[in-house]
mmCIF file of all heavy atoms in Angstrom:
data_model
loop_
_atom_site.group_PDB
_atom_site.id
_atom_site.type_symbol
_atom_site.label_atom_id
_atom_site.label_comp_id
_atom_site.label_asym_id
_atom_site.label_seq_id
_atom_site.Cartn_x
_atom_site.Cartn_y
_atom_site.Cartn_z
ATOM 1 N N LEU A 194 6.564 16.998 7.027
ATOM 2 C CA LEU A 194 7.756 17.806 7.220
ATOM 3 C C LEU A 194 8.474 18.116 5.907
ATOM 4 O O LEU A 194 8.983 19.216 5.709
ATOM 5 C CB LEU A 194 8.729 17.093 8.173
ATOM 6 C CG LEU A 194 8.287 16.975 9.635
ATOM 7 C CD1 LEU A 194 9.183 15.976 10.369
ATOM 8 C CD2 LEU A 194 8.322 18.326 10.318
ATOM 9 N N ARG A 199 5.026 17.806 0.843
ATOM 10 C CA ARG A 199 3.965 18.730 1.256
ATOM 11 C C ARG A 199 3.410 19.479 0.049
ATOM 12 O O ARG A 199 2.196 19.663 -0.085
ATOM 13 C CB ARG A 199 4.519 19.706 2.293
ATOM 14 C CG ARG A 199 3.454 20.453 3.054
ATOM 15 C CD ARG A 199 4.019 21.143 4.285
ATOM 16 N NE ARG A 199 5.056 22.110 3.975
ATOM 17 C CZ ARG A 199 6.344 21.972 4.322
ATOM 18 N NH1 ARG A 199 6.736 20.900 4.992
ATOM 19 N NH2 ARG A 199 7.226 22.896 4.002
ATOM 20 N N VAL A 210 0.107 20.993 5.763
ATOM 21 C CA VAL A 210 0.624 21.801 6.860
ATOM 22 C C VAL A 210 1.994 21.263 7.274
ATOM 23 O O VAL A 210 2.196 20.042 7.349
ATOM 24 C CB VAL A 210 -0.349 21.772 8.059
ATOM 25 C CG1 VAL A 210 0.251 22.479 9.271
ATOM 26 C CG2 VAL A 210 -1.686 22.398 7.674
ATOM 27 N N ASP A 211 2.919 22.186 7.573
ATOM 28 C CA ASP A 211 4.240 21.826 8.077
ATOM 29 C C ASP A 211 4.178 21.788 9.603
ATOM 30 O O ASP A 211 4.072 22.840 10.255
ATOM 31 C CB ASP A 211 5.265 22.860 7.620
ATOM 32 C CG ASP A 211 6.679 22.530 8.090
ATOM 33 O OD1 ASP A 211 6.858 21.528 8.810
ATOM 34 O OD2 ASP A 211 7.601 23.290 7.743
ATOM 35 N N PRO A 212 4.242 20.607 10.214
ATOM 36 C CA PRO A 212 4.118 20.534 11.678
ATOM 37 C C PRO A 212 5.304 21.137 12.416
ATOM 38 O O PRO A 212 5.228 21.340 13.632
ATOM 39 C CB PRO A 212 3.999 19.023 11.945
ATOM 40 C CG PRO A 212 4.654 18.384 10.769
ATOM 41 C CD PRO A 212 4.385 19.275 9.604
ATOM 42 N N ALA A 213 6.393 21.437 11.701
ATOM 43 C CA ALA A 213 7.547 22.056 12.352
ATOM 44 C C ALA A 213 7.366 23.556 12.537
ATOM 45 O O ALA A 213 8.045 24.161 13.373
ATOM 46 C CB ALA A 213 8.812 21.790 11.537
ATOM 47 N N THR A 214 6.458 24.161 11.783
ATOM 48 C CA THR A 214 6.298 25.613 11.842
ATOM 49 C C THR A 214 4.902 26.050 12.261
ATOM 50 O O THR A 214 4.661 27.239 12.440
ATOM 51 C CB THR A 214 6.608 26.236 10.466
ATOM 52 O OG1 THR A 214 5.697 25.710 9.484
ATOM 53 C CG2 THR A 214 8.039 25.919 10.034
ATOM 54 N N VAL A 215 3.982 25.106 12.395
ATOM 55 C CA VAL A 215 2.595 25.419 12.725
ATOM 56 C C VAL A 215 2.205 24.704 14.016
ATOM 57 O O VAL A 215 2.590 23.543 14.224
ATOM 58 C CB VAL A 215 1.652 24.995 11.572
ATOM 59 C CG1 VAL A 215 0.190 25.169 11.969
ATOM 60 C CG2 VAL A 215 1.950 25.788 10.312
ATOM 61 N N ASP A 216 1.470 25.387 14.874
ATOM 62 C CA ASP A 216 0.869 24.739 16.048
ATOM 63 C C ASP A 216 -0.270 23.858 15.537
ATOM 64 O O ASP A 216 -1.381 24.329 15.309
ATOM 65 C CB ASP A 216 0.344 25.799 17.022
ATOM 66 C CG ASP A 216 -0.428 25.189 18.197
ATOM 67 O OD1 ASP A 216 -0.437 23.951 18.329
ATOM 68 O OD2 ASP A 216 -1.056 25.958 18.946
ATOM 69 N N VAL A 217 0.036 22.593 15.336
ATOM 70 C CA VAL A 217 -0.904 21.699 14.663
ATOM 71 C C VAL A 217 -2.191 21.542 15.464
ATOM 72 O O VAL A 217 -3.297 21.585 14.913
ATOM 73 C CB VAL A 217 -0.254 20.332 14.393
ATOM 74 C CG1 VAL A 217 -1.274 19.383 13.796
ATOM 75 C CG2 VAL A 217 0.934 20.480 13.467
#
Side-chain angles (χ1 to χ4, degrees):
L194 291 167
R199 195 166 60 247
V210 173
D211 181 357
T214 61
V215 173
D216 174 7
V217 176

